[in-house]
Amino acid sequence: MKILVTGGCGFIGSHTCCELLDNNYEVVVIDNLSNSKEDVIDKIKKITNKDLKFYKGDLCDKELVDKIFKNENIDAVIHFAGLKAVGESVKKPLLYYRNNFDSTLTLLEVMCKYNCKKLVFSSSATVYGNPKTLPIKEDFPLKTTNPYGSTKLYIEGILKDLYNSDHEWSIAVLRYFNPIGAHKSYLIGENPNDIPNNLMPYIVKVATGKLEQLSIFGNDYNTIDGTGVRDYIHVVDLAIGHIKAIELINKEKGIDFYNLGTGHGYSVLEIVKTFEKVNNVKVNYKITDRRPGDIDACYADCSYALKKLNFKATKTIEEMVKDSYEYAKRNS
Ligand code: NAD
Ligand code: UFG
């Protein structure tokens, strides 16, 4: 079975390519390298000892996407490509709407043309906004607070409309919680060029001496120690979730929505302390004001993904913080 992976050079996409190749899927990647590097392709080949095809280009380029489908006989698509920085999306909403919508619509139109109707889409826990209760179930009310989140929510709606118009589609929408960690080869991982927005990339830059101090955004949240609580999931577990989703959409038509997390919430301070203990390194931090838009706590009810996808994350928070640090040490 041949899978087109959009955004396959990125953090989650590259790990998913490895799992796909390890499971004997054929892989074709399209990526414009706007947030990744081309050498990731060679690293994936080295890790898996398998070949894959890479098209360097933009998913908004309809001629290119058409050419890929004409050349490759694609059976299904995993659609990761997109811009993902919440803060940047508030400052540059049109960039986010243009890129995330245009790429998705182009992809879907070409998929229709070539009668390829199997899709896994990267959504996000951000579509739940500030949930009234925890853990979060898939049928909770949906609401977003920033343009990035809105692109995810609107695309979920587009996919629902598409399925309603044509019941031949099989679509799995995966709502990721907070992916961290890295592949055990430490060849691929998360390595933002700019100052990181997210907690774990920031912690590793402080631990490796690239940044001076972590700002913990608020200690007056309604949580165990006042700092924000999130559901961190190892990126390799998350990648395995995509294999399960591909297996399901290959068997069943329809559209469905799945939380991919661990079901456990950890506070920022718990993450910092665990990171320090496991890696035997000091993380310099200070408590600052809350970051606008942040919520107190967010963690998944994972029972539906277990029931329908037979997916359960297995890696511990200790493995996650170890792998994040190990990757950063070897790649900074
Ligand atoms: P990433 O930025 O590492 O990967 C995305 C890839 O898509 C990059 O390699 C980028 O170059 C590529 N890309 C972007 N726009 C493109 C376009 N128009 N054409 C071709 N390539 C394009 O991000 P990631 O963390 O791997 O996230 C993958 C997906 O998962 C994204 O859709 C993201 O919104 C979603 N997601 C991520 C998180 C997270 O915390 N990492 C959480 C929830 C959802
Ligand atoms: N945090 C800090 N300091 C930092 C960065 C983050 O204290 O420098 C805190 C935040 O306040 C929050 C926690 O660490 O309490 C996690 O923050 P992240 O920025 O790592 O992650 P978010 O939960 O805010 O958002 C991430 C992605 C979104 C995605 C969401 C899914 O950025 O795109 O997870 O749950 F939608």
Side-chain angles (χ1 to χ4, degrees), residues 60-119:
C60 305
D61 177 350
K62 200 167 192 174
E63 259 178 53
L64 172 65
V65 181
D66 195 287
K67 185 177 121 190
I68 295 173
F69 276 81
K70 193 182 273 166
N71 290 351
E72 302 290 350
N73 246 324
I74 301 293
D75 296 298
V77 178
I78 307 182
H79 179 31
F80 293 105
L83 298 175
K84 64 162 185 175
V86 173
E88 186 185 48
S89 81
V90 176
K91 293 195 187 103
K92 301 178 182 169
L94 297 183
L95 176 71
Y96 273 66
Y97 288 122
R98 168 62 70 191
N99 186 69
N100 292 1
F101 288 157
D102 206 350
S103 54
T104 303
L105 292 172
T106 305
L107 173 69
L108 294 174
E109 283 169 359
V110 178
M111 288 178 75
C112 284
K113 177 175 168 190
Y114 287 87
N115 207 28
C116 173
K117 295 183 178 176
K118 292 178 179 153
L119 177 72

Side-chain angles (χ1 to χ4, degrees), residues 4-59:
L4 175 64
V5 181
T6 78
C9 295
F11 175 44
I12 309 170
S14 57
H15 289 80
T16 303
C17 287
C18 290
E19 293 304 320
L20 286 166
L21 291 165
D22 284 345
N23 283 279
N24 297 318
Y25 291 93
E26 287 181 82
V27 173
V28 177
V29 167
I30 176 173
D31 200 302
N32 66 3
L33 305 178
S34 60
N35 197 36
S36 52
K37 297 200 178 72
E38 191 163 352
D39 66 359
V40 165
I41 295 294
D42 285 333
K43 290 176 176 171
I44 296 169
K45 289 181 187 170
K46 192 170 170 191
I47 289 168
T48 59
N49 208 14
K50 300 235 171 86
D51 208 4
L52 77 166
K53 189 99 171 251
F54 176 50
Y55 288 85
K56 180 173 161 182
D58 204 296
L59 200 54

Side-chain angles (χ1 to χ4, degrees), residues 169-180:
W169 279 87
S170 314
I171 302 172
V173 175
L174 306 182
R175 294 176 179 150
Y176 312 148
F177 283 67
N178 293 49
I180 58 172

Side-chain angles (χ1 to χ4, degrees), residues 124-126 148 178 198-199 215-217 228 230 232 268 291 294:
S124 166
T126 193
Y148 162 72
N178 293 49
N198 296 117
L199 180 64
S215 293
I216 295 186
F217 299 141
R230 298 290 183 275
Y232 297 91
V268 177
R291 182 171 65 178
D294 273 354

Side-chain angles (χ1 to χ4, degrees), residues 315-326:
K315 291 186 184 288
T316 62
I317 198 69
E318 284 78 14
E319 289 171 278
M320 298 184 217
V321 299
K322 174 179 177 289
D323 290 345
S324 292
Y325 187 48
E326 204 55 47

